Amino acid sequence: MPNVGCLIGSVYQQQLSGLSAALADAGLDIIPSEYLVLRSLYSHDGMQQCDVAALLGKDKAGVSRCVGAMERKGLVRTEIVSHKCRRVWLTDRGWELEPVLLKIAGERHKALKQLVGDKDMETFVKVLKLILTQK
């Protein structure tokens, strides 16, 4: 039996590499982790940084470093909520990137669905969600 965890990890790394290339091809100075934070904020602008980490399944320290880099790039601004957490808001520059990032996401999703097919994609997502809900 194949090592499912290794396969999932390999697919994840492959998808991140493809996303990184797509972002670079679009002329964007954004890395995949920044892309993920931006996508989260497009739906929930003003989230607390700790909530972004929970939503993405990432560690708080990594998200904190990512948000700091994004702040230096002028994509987000932050507001201190407590000594442990900051609220993150998109700047005008961050909002300007939304159509470009959504286009990249759409193209990547379409390519993946063409490779896997609608029915298999639906099953794949269902299985991943099932795995995520197991304790």
Side-chain angles (χ1 to χ4, degrees):
M1 176 174 239
N3 185 325
V4 176
C6 286
L7 285 172
I8 291 171
S10 295
V11 169
Y12 177 71
Q13 289 303 318
Q14 179 190 50
Q15 291 299 304
L16 280 183
S17 293
L19 176 58
S20 184
L23 293 168
D25 289 347
L28 300 174
D29 178 27
I30 295 173
I31 60 174
S33 57
E34 294 168 344
Y35 164 88
L36 293 172
V37 171
L38 286 168
R39 290 290 311 266
S40 298
L41 293 172
Y42 292 142
S43 300
H44 308 287
D45 194 24
M47 287 178 71
Q48 290 188 22
Q49 190 172 283
C50 45
D51 293 333
V52 173
L55 179 67
L56 297 176
K58 303 288 185 184
D59 66 280
K60 293 176 189 175
V63 171
S64 179
R65 287 188 299 273
C66 180
V67 167
M70 294 171 69
E71 199 166 19
R72 288 186 294 278
K73 291 179 180 182
L75 300 172
V76 299
R77 66 177 177 80
T78 60
E79 169 185 303
I80 296 173
V81 175
S82 72
H83 68 283
K84 288 189 174 188
C85 202
R86 294 183 291 173
R87 190 170 297 280
V88 186
W89 301 94
L90 290 161
T91 62
D92 289 344
R93 175 69 181 134
W95 279 113
E96 288 169 6
L97 293 176
E98 183 181 24
V100 177
L101 295 180
L102 293 181
K103 181 179 180 204
I104 290 170
E107 290 168 354
R108 294 190 48 74
H109 185 75
K110 181 180 175 184
L112 189 58
K113 281 183 75 170
Q114 286 176 339
L115 175 69
V116 176
D118 286 338
K119 185 169 174 46
D120 287 338
M121 178 62 86
E122 189 176 304
T123 302
F124 180 58
V125 169
K126 184 178 178 180
V127 168
L128 289 174
K129 286 181 178 181
L130 178 65
I131 292 169
L132 282 173
T133 60
Q134 296 304 301
K135 302 230 179 216

